[in-house]
């Protein structure tokens, strides 16, 4: 997904421009720190105190030049208007958050308002059109059949989440003046592979190349576990 995000940033903004980035629900700060290392000014918003503490610990190990480009705030992504003025950011990230928001439309509208004209909104959501894939490929055929009739699922941690459909989000983004510009699939072939699985030397690059190719190729991207959507503020 980082490759996809970098591709969209490179295609939209001049090379070398220091962007103002808001990472909503940043978790441990993986993307926030990566973008700060690339020279951008990053604000991370996170409501989970333990995640925020982990992000602060990671930030503390970075050189001073990177630390001064990052601002971390404890707060809810549904209340961006409390913390920031409209149009304050060039890029807004919201990765792996919407699946835990019961009513996503108001939150998405708030995120779009944070963007300056021409700004990029990057969303990572669970793909409701592919919920049967994980249980089906794992041999849980009853679970796969049930998945056709729901937009909810249970993740590896046992937490319930809500999935989104591409066509629905396409309409939502158009309605909040940040129409869909590009979309990718994420985890087409590797959704059932545990994160801690160790691969043979050199195999990781092949896996990344495979996922990158599939994530931008039909029909594969349509059955990915996750969707990466990029909208552009009009």
């Amino acid at each position: 997904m980082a490759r996809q995000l970098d591709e969209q940033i490179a295609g939209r903004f001049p090379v070398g421009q220091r962007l103002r980035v808001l990472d909503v629900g940043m978790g441990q700060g993986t993307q926030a720190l990566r973008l700060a290392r690339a020279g951008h000014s990053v604000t991370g918003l996170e409501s989970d105190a333990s995640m925020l503490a982990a992000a602060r610990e990671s930030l503390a190990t970075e050189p001073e030049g990177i630390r001064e480009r990052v601002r971390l705030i404890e707060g809810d992504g549904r209340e961006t208007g409390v913390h920031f003025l409209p149009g304050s950011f060039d890029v807004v990230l919201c990765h792996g958050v919407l699946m835990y928001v019961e009513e996503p439309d108001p939150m998405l509208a708030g995120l779009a308002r944070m963007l300056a004209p021409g700004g990029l909104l990057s969303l990572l959501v669970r793909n409701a059109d592919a919920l049967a894939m994980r249980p089906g490929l794992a041999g849980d055929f009853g679970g796969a059949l049930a998945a056709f009739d729901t937009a909810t699922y249970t993740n590896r941690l046992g937490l319930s989440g809500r999935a989104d459909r591409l066509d629905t989000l396409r309409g939502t983004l158009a309605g909040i003046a940040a129409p869909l510009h590009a979309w990718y699939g994420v985890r087409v072939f590797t959704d059932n592979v545990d994160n801690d699985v160790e691969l043979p030397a050199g195999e990781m690059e092949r896996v990344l190349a495979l996922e990158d190719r599939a994530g931008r190729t039909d029909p594969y991207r349509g059955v990915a576990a996750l969707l990466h959507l990029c909208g552009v503020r009009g």
Side-chain angles (χ1 to χ4, degrees):
M1 189 187 66
R3 295 182 182 185
Q4 299 162 359
L5 179 60
D6 289 347
E7 177 181 279
Q8 290 299 314
I9 288 176
R12 179 141 301 276
F13 302 101
V15 175
Q17 179 179 342
R18 177 177 290 187
L19 301 174
R20 301 163 299 165
V21 180
L22 173 62
D23 190 352
V24 175
M26 67 172 181
Q28 298 178 6
T30 301
Q31 288 297 325
L33 290 178
R34 190 183 70 84
L35 291 169
R37 294 184 194 114
H40 304 302
S41 175
V42 183
T43 299
L45 186 66
E46 175 57 57
S47 61
D48 187 292
S50 61
M51 287 288 188
L52 191 60
R56 285 181 172 138
E57 288 180 8
S58 296
L59 180 62
T61 66
E62 297 288 331
E64 182 179 355
I66 294 175
R67 294 200 307 270
E68 66 185 11
R69 289 198 290 270
V70 179
R71 178 188 179 199
L72 302 181
I73 299 174
E74 185 171 359
D76 194 303
R78 290 167 290 192
E79 300 173 349
T80 48
V82 173
H83 301 282
F84 315 109
L85 294 174
S88 295
F89 298 95
D90 304 300
V91 179
V92 173
L93 313 180
C94 184
H95 297 164
V97 176
L98 285 187
M99 51 272 285
Y100 306 114
V101 178
E102 187 173 347
E103 296 291 339
D105 287 6
M107 179 173 171
L108 287 172
L111 298 182
R113 283 194 293 271
M114 296 300 104
L115 285 169
L120 179 68
L121 175 61
S122 173
L123 306 174
L124 184 69
V125 303
R126 191 76 188 181
N127 183 7
D129 291 320
L131 287 181
M133 294 297 292
R134 178 187 287 181
L137 292 175
D140 177 9
F141 302 123
L145 280 170
F148 281 102
D149 300 315
T150 184
T152 62
Y153 69 98
T154 302
N155 67 15
R156 290 190 178 98
L157 300 177
L159 299 175
S160 295
R162 182 193 53 77
D164 289 287
R165 301 189 187 280
L166 174 62
D167 286 345
T168 300
L169 284 177
R170 189 193 303 272
T172 299
L173 291 174
I176 60 175
L180 186 64
H181 174 74
W183 69 276
Y184 308 85
V186 176
R187 290 203 171 195
V188 177
F189 297 111
T190 58
D191 189 44
N192 280 336
V193 179
D194 290 336
N195 292 333
D196 57 357
V197 169
E198 294 187 10
L199 298 175
E203 191 68 7
M204 178 58 76
E205 282 304 313
R206 284 189 284 270
V207 170
L208 291 174
L210 173 65
E211 286 287 345
D212 183 62
R213 179 76 176 270
R216 61 183 71 239
T217 303
D218 291 323
Y220 303 102
R221 64 177 180 166
V223 295
L226 303 164
L227 297 177
H228 179 200
L229 289 77
C230 298
V232 174
R233 181 72 171 174

